[in-house]
Amino acid sequence: MALRALCAASLAATVVQADDAVLVKIGARNITVSQARVDLNRLGLMPALGALTGDPLRQHIDEKYVPRLLLDTHAADRAKHDPAFRLQVAPHVDAALAQALEQSLTPLVDDAEVARFYDANVATYRRPLAIRISRILTATRAKAESILKEVRDNPQAAARFAALAREHSADSATHMRAGDLGFVQKDGHTDVPQLRVNPVLFQAVESLRDGDLVEEPLVEGKYFAAVWRRGTRAERIRTLEQEAENIRGLLLRDKRHLALNELLGQLRSQHLTEYAPTTLEVAHFPPFEGLPLTRPGATAHAAQGTPTPGSDGR
């Protein structure tokens, strides 16, 4: 029992010592592990931390916590010299300051930039009518006719068409896709970038209803095609005027992200003088099996089972 108590006391002392260790030093400000735990809880970043060690732990602290500290420091400095900024955020010199500073980094996006983005991505906003087509290419008209006849009145038409495509189709691109060409546009373009088909296919099914087969095989070069209209994707046109605000929001978000990263890089080089994220590992390692983790003033209880992350009350 004496050895057990000694081990428990030693372990508790190690954890307490780790809590007092400096995690981050920004300028003259030292952030200890215990202070970081308070901050991380306040910012809602703590729950995922207990299960992390090594590189994931470093990444979590580096991406979620250190930038917030740097922005808080920079925002507080700015509030001292910028009366307008001080009026806006001075009551909350913490994460609220950092958030306000981040918002203030948002650059402007003019109409010309919005128009250039729209033109560069016009396919996203202007989508022509397209018809989903399945096709089986055969060497003879008789084979294509027999396929159409077999599929037309079959209650399991889709499954049968797929089987016949694998058995007979001369088109290697769709051989294992049940002859599915995807959505075909009037000019022969499809939604598969590498696949373009003869526009005659679109013309052949344009007047049909979804689910209809062509009446007669279609001639494609030296082949004969059994063609099936499977569905329709309606034309969609969104004008520049309709999408301008959405585009502006996207561009603002990207610009703000770049500006924020640039600022954080400058702040790191100017203010981050000490950084030891692995000190958190000592404060979060699980206790030895069967040995309760105790702290000064805490009541020790016999451990039962394998401890779980956070079971020490942190």
Side-chain angles (χ1 to χ4, degrees), residues 105-116:
L105 287 172
T106 302
L108 297 177
V109 174
D110 60 31
D111 292 341
E113 287 180 271
V114 173
R116 285 195 296 271

Side-chain angles (χ1 to χ4, degrees), residues 142-203:
K143 175 54 69 175
E145 288 176 342
S146 70
I147 290 173
L148 289 171
K149 182 178 179 181
E150 185 172 350
V151 173
R152 182 168 282 115
D153 299 319
N154 194 320
Q156 302 295 325
R160 189 59 190 142
F161 194 93
L164 290 169
R166 286 191 291 270
E167 291 175 28
H168 302 292
S169 184
D171 180 12
S172 59
T174 62
H175 181 78
M176 296 306 294
R177 296 202 334 245
D180 187 8
L181 299 174
F183 285 96
V184 179
Q185 300 171 23
K186 191 169 186 176
D187 62 0
H189 281 92
T190 74
D191 52 359
V192 179
Q194 304 87 340
L195 181 61
R196 186 173 182 179
V197 301
N198 193 324
V200 72
L201 286 169
F202 185 96
Q203 298 167 15

Side-chain angles (χ1 to χ4, degrees), residues 1-312:
M1 291 300 292
L3 178 60
R4 182 185 182 85
L6 180 62
C7 289
S10 176
L11 184 58
T14 300
V15 173
V16 171
Q17 184 179 8
D19 279 355
D20 293 334
V22 174
L23 172 66
V24 181
K25 184 174 183 180
I26 295 180
R29 183 185 178 195
N30 291 329
I31 306 295
T32 65
V33 169
S34 60
Q35 178 59 53
R37 189 180 293 113
V38 172
D39 290 344
L40 290 165
N41 270 320
R42 175 173 56 83
L43 295 171
L45 301 176
M46 192 67 174
L49 200 60
L52 299 179
T53 58
D55 290 340
L57 175 66
R58 177 184 292 272
Q59 183 177 1
H60 189 91
I61 296 297
D62 193 54
E63 294 181 357
K64 303 295 184 181
Y65 182 47
V66 172
R68 186 60 65 189
L69 291 173
L70 289 168
L71 287 174
D72 285 344
T73 300
H74 184 64
D77 290 342
R78 178 172 170 177
K80 294 176 183 177
H81 307 290
D82 186 342
F85 189 79
R86 185 185 307 120
L87 288 173
Q88 180 183 10
V89 297
H92 308 286
V93 187
D94 57 5
L97 270 172
Q99 184 177 13
L101 175 64
E102 185 177 337
Q103 294 290 341
S104 73
L105 287 172
T106 302
L108 297 177
V109 174
D110 60 31
D111 292 341
E113 287 180 271
V114 173
R116 285 195 296 271
F117 183 92
Y118 180 88
D119 291 340
N121 298 275
V122 69
T124 303
Y125 305 109
R126 293 180 175 267
R127 189 179 66 190
L129 170 70
I131 299 173
R132 187 177 179 185
I133 299 174
S134 291
R135 175 201 60 182
I136 298 175
L137 280 180
T138 65
T140 67
R141 176 182 290 275
K143 175 54 69 175
E145 288 176 342
S146 70
I147 290 173
L148 289 171
K149 182 178 179 181
E150 185 172 350
V151 173
R152 182 168 282 115
D153 299 319
N154 194 320
Q156 302 295 325
R160 189 59 190 142
F161 194 93
L164 290 169
R166 286 191 291 270
E167 291 175 28
H168 302 292
S169 184
D171 180 12
S172 59
T174 62
H175 181 78
M176 296 306 294
R177 296 202 334 245
D180 187 8
L181 299 174
F183 285 96
V184 179
Q185 300 171 23
K186 191 169 186 176
D187 62 0
H189 281 92
T190 74
D191 52 359
V192 179
Q194 304 87 340
L195 181 61
R196 186 173 182 179
V197 301
N198 193 324
V200 72
L201 286 169
F202 185 96
Q203 298 167 15
V205 300
E206 190 173 10
S207 61
L208 300 180
R209 298 172 304 178
D210 289 347
D212 285 350
L213 290 149
V214 295
E215 289 294 326
E216 298 291 335
L218 188 68
V219 178
E220 283 194 67
K222 64 179 182 178
Y223 295 103
F224 298 87
V227 182
W228 191 4
R229 176 170 177 159
R230 307 297 299 276
T232 303
R233 188 176 66 195
E235 181 181 44
R236 176 178 180 267
I237 298 178
R238 297 287 296 175
T239 65
L240 173 59
E241 291 71 22
Q242 289 173 314
E243 289 294 330
E245 287 308 306
N246 289 334
I247 293 173
R248 195 182 307 277
L250 290 173
L251 294 175
L252 283 172
R253 182 195 63 190
D254 291 345
K255 283 193 171 187
R256 193 172 91 183
H257 180 72
L258 291 173
L260 185 60
N261 282 344
E262 183 178 349
L263 174 62
L264 286 171
Q266 296 171 359
L267 295 178
R268 281 178 183 272
S269 62
Q270 293 170 4
H271 300 294
L272 188 61
T273 57
E274 187 173 333
Y275 179 34
T278 53
T279 57
L280 278 175
E281 290 187 47
V282 179
H284 283 79
F285 69 93
F288 297 129
E289 183 175 356
L291 182 63
L293 180 61
T294 60
R295 296 176 184 275
T299 302
H301 299 279
Q304 297 181 4
T306 303
T308 57
S311 59
D312 59 345

